Amino acid sequence: MKGRPLGGRPGFAFAALCAAVRREASFRTQLAFAASTGIALEGVVDLLHPGHHPEIGVGKDIAAGAVLVAAMSAVIVAAAMVVDTLELLR
């Protein structure tokens, strides 16, 4: 990735994330767990407070951010495993 513009780099990260989702069952399970937790939180909050409130929006955004962190963490772990495997093959 050296010498490439910063704007193009997220595309590589997104492609890697898509590959991980397609290839790794455990990755999909972890994302499904994180996403379903966020969806459950949103459902309960919407039931308890159906109107719009800025703080509820912040809480929902934080839950969505937690899903993103889980996805990024899974990508980092998968990348570390790939690097470790490649080093063992040398």
Side-chain angles (χ1 to χ4, degrees), residues 72-89:
M72 291 176 9
S73 298
V75 168
I76 291 168
V77 169
M81 291 173 64
V82 167
V83 168
D84 188 49
T85 301
L86 291 175
E87 286 178 359
L88 288 175
L89 295 175

Side-chain angles (χ1 to χ4, degrees), residues 1 6 17 20 23 27-29 49 51 60 62-64 70 73 76 79 86:
M1 277 210 266
L6 182 61
L17 180 61
R23 297 178 183 181
F27 184 83
R28 290 189 300 271
T29 302
H49 196 288
K60 288 181 176 184
I62 291 170
S73 298
I76 291 168
L86 291 175

Side-chain angles (χ1 to χ4, degrees), residues 31-87:
L31 282 180
F33 175 77
S36 63
T37 302
I39 291 167
L41 173 69
E42 285 191 32
V44 169
V45 169
D46 288 344
L47 179 66
L48 295 175
H49 196 288
H52 177 73
H53 191 281
E55 288 300 312
I56 290 174
V58 169
K60 288 181 176 184
D61 291 346
I62 291 170
V67 173
L68 179 61
V69 168
M72 291 176 9
S73 298
V75 168
I76 291 168
V77 169
M81 291 173 64
V82 167
V83 168
D84 188 49
T85 301
L86 291 175
E87 286 178 359

Side-chain angles (χ1 to χ4, degrees), residues 7-18:
R9 292 179 185 180
F12 292 110
F14 183 72
L17 180 61
C18 289

